[in-house]
Amino acid sequence: KDYSYYKLTVTDNGCGMKHEEIPKMFGTVLSGTKYGVRQERGKFGLGSKMVLIWSKMSTGLPMTIRSSQGSGKQISLVQLDLDIHSNAPNVHKHEKLPNDHKWRGSQVGVTIGGEFSIYKRYTVNYLREMAVITPYARFEMIFKAEDPSKSFHILHSRRSEIMPPPPSKAKVHPS
């Protein structure tokens, strides 16, 4: 079997997250926002929580989150996992660090276990599909294997600098 451990890191250059809200955002399942008039970017769905649960089940290791809201703001560093029974974050580290490079955005890292050979094509296809539907984003995947012949690098460069307009109000039940 090809069961191995993998470090998965996702980084963006968005608006960052408030330091005090990070544990609840990542460590509570189904804590999403209510349906509203205006959809907002930066709200979490189930994706990050599912990765956290997969990490907890396969390795027991916590998720690491770094985030900053930009110039003049510190970097939040949070390590947490999920207490599945109480649906609450189990915070291992929650601290503020200097932001000397005025970085803005978020970075989420986990260690997961599994048979990547089974999931490789799904992961590669997902990145390709995301690059098609979000031309203003850059997607990069670097896979480093012990055997260098199994390593690979995929890069889908940003194809547009234009962000789409905010979504307009939609009827809950279109008539």
Side-chain angles (χ1 to χ4, degrees):
K1 290 205 173 197
D2 189 22
Y3 193 91
S4 298
Y5 296 96
Y6 305 92
K7 177 75 174 172
L8 173 66
T9 305
V10 177
T11 307
D12 71 33
N13 62 349
C15 61
M17 297 173 277
K18 291 182 180 176
H19 178 78
E20 59 279 356
E21 294 178 9
I22 295 172
K24 185 175 181 189
M25 289 174 149
F26 285 90
T28 307
V29 178
L30 299 176
S31 65
T33 59
K34 294 180 181 177
Y35 180 81
V37 173
R38 181 172 177 220
Q39 181 182 359
E40 296 178 318
R41 290 182 178 86
K43 300 293 182 190
F44 292 98
L46 283 175
S48 62
K49 286 134 178 122
M50 296 307 294
V51 170
L52 178 55
I53 291 169
W54 185 6
S55 174
K56 182 162 178 72
M57 288 174 41
S58 65
T59 68
L61 296 173
M63 175 181 272
T64 301
I65 301 114
R66 291 177 64 240
S67 186
S68 177
Q69 295 182 306
S71 183
K73 302 281 186 175
Q74 294 178 312
I75 295 174
S76 297
L77 175 64
V78 180
Q79 287 185 330
L80 58 80
D81 61 20
L82 178 63
D83 181 338
I84 295 171
H85 300 291
S86 66
N87 191 26
N90 180 15
V91 179
H92 300 271
K93 186 182 286 188
H94 192 193
E95 60 189 37
K96 293 181 180 181
L97 305 173
N99 189 0
D100 298 331
H101 299 289
K102 299 179 182 176
W103 174 69
R104 184 188 80 177
S106 300
Q107 182 179 71
V108 179
V110 294
T111 301
I112 55 177
E115 294 182 49
F116 187 70
S117 60
I118 294 172
Y119 301 109
K120 177 182 176 182
R121 70 183 170 115
Y122 299 111
T123 306
V124 170
N125 284 339
Y126 177 77
L127 285 177
R128 184 180 306 117
E129 290 168 1
M130 290 300 295
V132 167
I133 65 171
T134 52
Y136 47 85
R138 176 181 182 270
F139 295 90
E140 181 174 23
M141 179 177 183
I142 301 169
F143 183 82
K144 295 179 183 176
E146 287 183 15
D147 176 357
S149 69
K150 294 183 179 182
S151 297
F152 64 89
H153 178 224
I154 297 171
L155 174 64
H156 295 287
S157 295
R158 177 180 234 178
R159 299 180 322 279
S160 174
E161 296 296 322
I162 301 168
M163 291 293 291
S168 58
K169 183 178 179 179
K171 294 180 181 178
V172 179
H173 300 286
S175 35

